[in-house]
Amino acid sequence: MNEYDQKGSQDCLPRVSAPVFPKCEPIDRLFAAVYLLVGYGFIYLCSGNDFERNLGIFTVFYAAVVLAYLWGKEIRPPKESWFWLAVMLAVGIPYAFWSVLYILQFLALLAVSAYWTLSASGRLLKGGQTSRWVFFDGCNALAVVPFSNLGCEARILFHDFGAGQKEAQKKVSGRAGSILLGIVIVIPVLVIILPLLSSADAGFQSLMSDLTGNLADYISNHLLVIFVRVLFAVPVSFYLFGLIFGGIHGRNTDRFQEEKLLETGGQLRKVPDAAICTALLIVCLIYCLFMAIQGRYLFSAFNGMLPEGFTYSEYARRGFFELCQIGVWNLIFTWLAGACSRTDRRGHRGLGFLTVLLSVLTLLLLVTAVSKMGMYISVYGLTVYRILPLIFMLWVGLVFVCILVRQKREFAIVRFCVMAGAVMFCLMCVFPIEYWTDLYNVWARAQGLIV
């Protein structure tokens, strides 16, 4: 009895990578065939008409196929996988009705779908949960697992895995071979007799002409398109089936291991604490100097005052995206400081203090950027392209708030921030932002609040 049988109530399978091809059941072969339809459906939605509607339908179809395969294998998805399923549906289904993100939403759907599939099969690195190894889980879901199991679908469909299956396949193959031989034999017969029958009767000749004409039109208009779609659908189905098959059977899912990642992370802690603290101190001093010199310009938006020589649009746009980039870079600096210092942040007061100082200064810069954009919106109203960067800055600010909280209280900061970002992104997909902004602008103009 394996570990999963012993713990039937657990939420995920044991992470054991199979060095040999796993034993397959009839349901594996069934879903290997079903995934050919999944691959064709993906190519159809990308090449057919009404892409937005088809994408919403395909999202539901893909989720149903994955869940059916898992339940057919008697695997209960981990609890957190239902959250990522909800995220996937919230990103994919609204695309059929509205979208303000377009390409970004489509790419996010592909990434979330792969991540959810790996999560549902219980193969995330940290016990089936999102963790600080989310980047490596994403690499597993998008590349390592599907590509390393790319040939599994063909192997299941066309190879034998047992004596009983082998005997049954021989019977099916013999019957199919006889039928195919009969078709081959009748072709030259039809080539001879059909022209003679057409010459003997004008009605039959007209019927054959109509049939061959319609067949030629169908071949030229449909079969060629189907053939090209099938050519692209086969590798897509191999990729998608490789992901779910590898997750279910634990095949090639341990290329990244938590123990090795921890060991590698420990090897990064080579930079002296004094060097890290010096670098952080210099960065913080530069920010303090910048805010001291530009204080009147930066903080005038808090008082609703426009600096001389600026229009509202110029004041809002100048430096806004630069401050967004600064927030992201400071997030990277903070992570590198914690990852590369010899002493853990909890064991070094100077490192902890400078981390807090950098986080506070970053939040202050973000607040000034938001206040500038808020002044612009209060005069000219809302647009989608004014709302999206504000939501992104809200998420970056949330991350730095979590960094501050974590100085006093331990919690899974990466998991919380990633899931919070996923919820924010879903809200942008689910709600008709463009429609709501238009309603607000009409109301605000009627009230004389904006120009």
Side-chain angles (χ1 to χ4, degrees):
M1 181 179 294
N2 57 31
E3 181 180 348
Y4 184 71
D5 294 331
Q6 293 174 352
K7 300 179 181 181
S9 61
Q10 70 180 20
D11 286 338
C12 60
L13 291 171
R15 278 186 303 280
V16 179
S17 181
V20 296
F21 200 83
K23 182 180 179 181
C24 296
E25 302 173 354
I27 193 171
D28 294 308
R29 179 161 290 182
L30 171 63
F31 276 92
V34 170
Y35 263 82
L36 292 174
L37 298 178
V38 176
Y40 184 84
F42 181 81
I43 297 300
Y44 179 84
L45 80 89
C46 292
S47 60
N49 298 324
D50 204 351
F51 171 79
E52 292 82 3
R53 183 202 63 184
N54 292 337
L55 184 62
I57 295 173
F58 180 82
T59 302
V60 178
F61 173 64
Y62 177 79
V65 170
V66 172
L67 291 175
Y69 195 4
L70 292 172
W71 287 335
K73 298 290 290 186
E74 298 182 353
I75 296 174
R76 188 176 69 179
K79 293 179 181 179
E80 187 179 298
S81 69
W82 298 106
F83 169 82
W84 292 110
L85 173 61
V87 170
M88 184 183 74
L89 296 177
V91 174
I93 294 177
Y95 206 95
F97 305 99
W98 55 71
S99 176
V100 295
L101 301 171
Y102 301 107
I103 296 177
L104 179 60
Q105 186 171 345
F106 176 68
L107 295 177
L109 177 62
L110 298 182
V112 171
S113 299
Y115 189 83
W116 167 70
T117 303
L118 198 65
S119 173
S121 58
R123 299 296 173 179
L124 300 183
L125 290 173
K126 192 70 173 180
Q129 290 186 344
T130 301
S131 65
R132 57 176 170 170
W133 313 121
V134 62
F135 173 78
F136 300 99
D137 285 325
C139 291
N140 261 339
L142 289 170
V144 176
V145 175
F147 283 115
S148 59
N149 295 296
L150 204 61
C152 291
E153 186 176 17
R155 188 169 180 179
I156 291 174
L157 287 173
F158 302 112
H159 287 244
D160 302 320
F161 301 103
Q165 292 182 2
K166 190 172 183 179
E167 187 66 27
Q169 186 172 358
K170 281 184 178 180
K171 294 180 180 179
V172 174
S173 300
R175 189 179 303 129
S178 300
I179 295 173
L180 181 61
L181 179 61
I183 294 174
V184 172
I185 292 173
V186 81
I187 288 177
V189 177
L190 293 177
V191 170
I192 295 173
I193 64 174
L194 287 179
L196 295 175
L197 291 174
S198 298
S199 301
D201 182 75
F204 187 77
Q205 183 179 13
S206 176
L207 176 63
M208 291 302 299
S209 178
D210 292 339
L211 289 176
T212 55
N214 293 334
L215 182 60
D217 290 340
Y218 183 80
I219 291 174
S220 61
N221 295 330
H222 298 280
L223 289 186
L224 181 59
V225 175
I226 294 175
F227 177 74
V228 173
R229 285 174 176 167
V230 168
L231 288 180
F232 286 95
V234 170
V236 171
S237 67
F238 284 1
Y239 173 90
L240 295 175
F241 185 79
L243 174 60
I244 185 62
F245 184 81
I248 288 175
H249 293 277
R251 180 177 170 82
N252 297 319
T253 58
D254 62 347
R255 301 295 177 87
F256 300 113
Q257 297 180 359
E258 186 177 9
E259 296 78 10
K260 293 182 179 179
L261 292 174
L262 287 172
E263 182 180 351
T264 302
Q267 294 175 355
L268 292 177
R269 293 186 174 276
K270 301 295 184 182
V271 183
D273 298 336
I276 296 290
C277 291
T278 301
L280 288 177
L281 180 59
I282 293 174
V283 172
C284 292
L285 289 176
I286 290 174
Y287 287 147
C288 290
L289 180 62
F290 173 78
M291 282 187 276
I293 295 174
Q294 297 289 331
R296 185 176 180 182
Y297 165 78
L298 286 174
F299 303 116
S300 62
F302 287 109
N303 300 322
M305 298 174 58
L306 184 67
E308 295 182 4
F310 286 92
T311 63
Y312 284 103
S313 60
E314 183 182 5
Y315 178 60
R317 293 171 183 172
R318 184 172 181 178
F320 178 83
F321 293 103
E322 287 78 5
L323 291 176
C324 291
Q325 294 179 42
I326 286 175
V328 175
W329 280 113
N330 287 349
L331 184 60
I332 296 174
F333 295 154
T334 303
W335 174 78
L336 288 175
C340 298
S341 61
R342 290 179 180 176
T343 305
D344 185 79
R345 58 177 176 80
R346 290 167 294 185
H348 195 288
R349 291 185 178 181
L351 180 58
F353 171 76
L354 290 172
T355 300
V356 170
L357 180 59
L358 181 60
S359 300
V360 171
L361 292 174
T362 304
L363 286 171
L364 190 57
L365 291 173
L366 292 176
V367 169
T368 59
V370 171
S371 65
K372 291 166 65 177
M373 182 60 72
M375 179 185 289
Y376 185 38
I377 291 174
S378 66
V379 176
Y380 292 103
L382 291 171
T383 65
V384 171
Y385 295 106
R386 295 169 194 166
I387 294 176
L388 297 183
L390 286 177
I391 295 176
F392 173 73
M393 293 187 74
L394 176 63
W395 178 79
V396 175
L398 176 64
V399 174
F400 279 101
V401 170
C402 290
I403 291 175
L404 293 175
V405 173
R406 196 164 179 257
Q407 303 301 314
K408 296 295 184 180
R409 179 181 178 183
E410 283 294 327
F411 67 101
I413 183 173
V414 175
R415 181 169 181 261
F416 177 81
C417 292
V418 169
M419 297 177 76
V423 171
M424 291 181 182
F425 191 87
C426 288
L427 293 177
M428 289 189 290
C429 297
V430 170
F431 294 117
I433 297 178
E434 190 171 14
Y435 176 72
W436 286 2
T437 56
D438 292 340
L439 286 181
Y440 169 79
N441 291 335
V442 171
W443 173 84
R445 286 192 183 94
Q447 300 294 323
L449 299 177
I450 62 174
V451 296

